[in-house]
Amino acid sequence: MLVLLPPSETKAAGGEGPPLDLDALSTPELTPTRHRLIEALTDLADDVPSSLEALGLSERQAEEVQRNAELRESPTAPALRRYTGVLYDALDIGSLPERERARAERRLAVVSALFGLVRGTDAIPAYRLSASGNLPRVGTLRGVWRPVLEPVLAEVDDFVVDLRSGAYAALAKVPGAVEVRVLSEDSTGKRKVVSHHNKSHKGKLARALGRAPEEPRTVEDVLTVAKEADLRVEREADRQLCVIVPA
């Protein structure tokens, strides 16, 4: 199976890996686009005010621009350890036993505004670029990635569970993917969509799917894995699941 995750705005600093080697990343079809975006992002970093504006950052976040300026030379870390924040705290990849961690690294992938698609062990540096970014001379990230990333994801033979947020889902559609949303339910049974806090619950589901001993291959398998992980997940439609949490 393949579980698609959104990245995080925040990234862990440092790393023990050598500088970025684009040729070593998975999905080499994306390498030309990665080169193009890295060149645009590092060139933009020469102009801090313009970088802050293009990236939607405040002056207090100027260190993020410096990260972009140095991303070709800075140390790398595996993607599932580079991304941080609520979803990745819940995933907690580092706490898994070695065998389960290897399964999760194989099954989980991140759809990134800078790299397109990275697998769990792909070594990447810290950087700052979101799906809503609009780089000078490049344009919208959706316009850049959709023509190249969509064909790649369309050829994936695996059973795909899509846990991406809306902005990252817009970078490329995935035919046949199972989509997941998070709903809260109050004592009367009334439900509503959970926005920011859905990340934690998606992280828990990603952890359960990543570590499952048997490879989930169907929607029913996902429901079984979720139940075993004490997650309440229901089927809304043929390719639509919802995680139900208390209001």
Side-chain angles (χ1 to χ4, degrees):
M1 78 176 308
L2 179 65
V3 180
L4 297 179
L5 304 176
S8 59
E9 295 294 336
T10 55
K11 316 289 188 302
E16 299 180 355
L20 178 64
D21 179 2
L22 287 179
D23 291 333
L25 298 183
S26 59
T27 323
E29 305 97 310
L30 305 179
T31 300
T33 304
R34 291 165 175 160
H35 272 295
R36 178 186 173 199
L37 290 176
I38 287 173
E39 182 176 3
L41 193 61
T42 54
D43 285 351
L44 180 63
D46 291 336
D47 184 339
V48 175
S50 294
S51 288
L52 295 176
E53 181 179 359
L55 300 175
L57 303 176
S58 69
E59 291 184 1
R60 291 178 296 178
Q61 296 173 294
E63 73 278 359
E64 299 283 3
V65 178
Q66 187 61 31
R67 279 186 169 187
N68 287 347
E70 299 172 351
L71 72 82
R72 294 181 189 271
E73 296 80 32
S74 57
T76 58
L80 291 180
R81 294 179 182 269
R82 175 63 71 197
Y83 296 107
T84 59
V86 175
L87 188 153
Y88 291 90
D89 287 346
L91 172 59
D92 196 10
I93 191 73
S95 71
L96 293 176
E98 184 176 354
R99 183 173 295 182
E100 292 184 359
R101 186 168 64 248
R103 289 191 202 115
E105 289 171 339
R106 185 179 69 251
R107 295 172 184 170
L108 307 182
V110 182
V111 173
S112 157
L114 184 59
F115 297 107
L117 181 73
V118 286
R119 294 286 183 157
T121 56
D122 279 338
I124 58 173
Y127 66 93
R128 186 61 178 254
L129 182 65
S130 68
S132 60
N134 192 328
L135 297 177
R137 304 189 307 278
V138 172
T140 66
L141 276 300
R142 178 180 178 180
V144 171
W145 278 120
R146 198 158 191 176
V148 293
L149 184 55
E150 223 165 61
V152 168
L153 291 174
E155 293 179 2
V156 171
D157 291 331
D158 296 320
F159 172 65
V160 179
V161 176
D162 193 348
L163 300 182
R164 293 176 295 169
S165 55
Y168 287 92
L171 296 183
K173 295 179 180 179
V174 186
V178 174
E179 298 179 353
V180 179
R181 63 176 183 160
V182 180
L183 303 177
S184 65
E185 183 179 80
D186 65 19
S187 58
T188 68
K190 183 178 180 180
R191 295 177 177 181
K192 65 179 181 179
V193 175
V194 177
S195 54
H196 174 72
H197 295 292
N198 73 38
K199 296 177 183 179
S200 175
H201 304 291
K202 286 185 175 181
K204 292 175 183 178
L205 180 58
R207 179 181 174 89
L209 294 173
R211 70 185 300 197
E214 299 296 327
E215 189 88 6
R217 300 181 187 278
T218 66
V219 173
E220 291 302 324
D221 289 344
V222 174
L223 294 172
T224 298
V225 168
K227 183 177 181 179
E228 291 173 349
D230 294 323
L231 297 172
R232 184 182 170 193
V233 179
E234 297 180 0
R235 190 171 194 162
E236 290 188 297
D238 183 46
R239 292 280 172 172
Q240 180 76 53
L241 298 177
C242 60
V243 181
I244 309 299
V245 299

